Amino acid sequence: QVQLVESGGGLVQAGGSLRLSCVASGRISSANTMGWYRQAPGKQREFVASISRGGLTSAADSVKGRFTISRDNAKNTVYLQMNSLKPEDTAVYYCNADLLLTGVLSNYWGQGTQVTVSS
């Protein structure tokens, strides 16, 4: 059974920082693209950032220059360093990953971690 487990969310004041982590566990042959999405109350889930196995990154315009995505391939872990947080960053943050298991590539979601930024 495959799991994506996020951690690191919490309550922070505007201008502060948080670091999210997501660990993929299970009978994983390889973790390909990994990334983060977020969903604020009453809004659709939106893309935040992604990183390929080789380290190629992409980020939403709203977080460029403030958020940094990175990964540790040996640990099947992806990180999201969030700096200069704004109240509009408040959302549930979800980890997403393309994982290869016994020759089959599938997409998986974590359960989400709450990030709340107070003004």
Side-chain angles (χ1 to χ4, degrees):
Q1 184 177 357
V2 173
Q3 280 190 310
L4 295 179
V5 179
E6 302 107 329
S7 61
L11 173 64
V12 65
Q13 288 188 330
S17 298
L18 284 174
R19 188 192 194 210
L20 305 183
S21 300
C22 171
V23 181
S25 62
R27 299 178 68 85
I28 300 168
S29 301
S30 172
N32 291 2
T33 298
M34 302 183 79
W36 294 92
Y37 289 72
R38 66 186 182 186
Q39 187 167 18
K43 295 187 176 181
Q44 289 189 333
R45 191 172 298 189
E46 64 176 6
F47 169 77
V48 176
S50 67
I51 183 167
S52 71
R53 184 169 182 81
L56 185 64
T57 63
S58 179
D61 288 342
S62 60
V63 305
K64 283 181 180 177
R66 300 188 298 122
F67 292 8
T68 301
I69 190 169
S70 61
R71 65 186 288 167
D72 184 333
N73 289 335
K75 297 180 179 179
N76 289 330
T77 300
V78 62
Y79 306 97
L80 186 69
Q81 178 66 43
M82 305 185 294
N83 298 329
S84 302
L85 282 160
K86 304 175 182 180
E88 51 263 44
D89 294 318
T90 295
V92 177
Y93 283 70
Y94 295 91
C95 178
N96 180 268
D98 291 327
L99 303 177
L100 184 66
L101 285 77
T102 59
V104 178
L105 186 66
S106 300
N107 187 260
Y108 294 87
W109 290 94
Q111 82 287 353
T113 185
Q114 177 70 46
V115 171
T116 303
V117 184
S118 63
S119 57

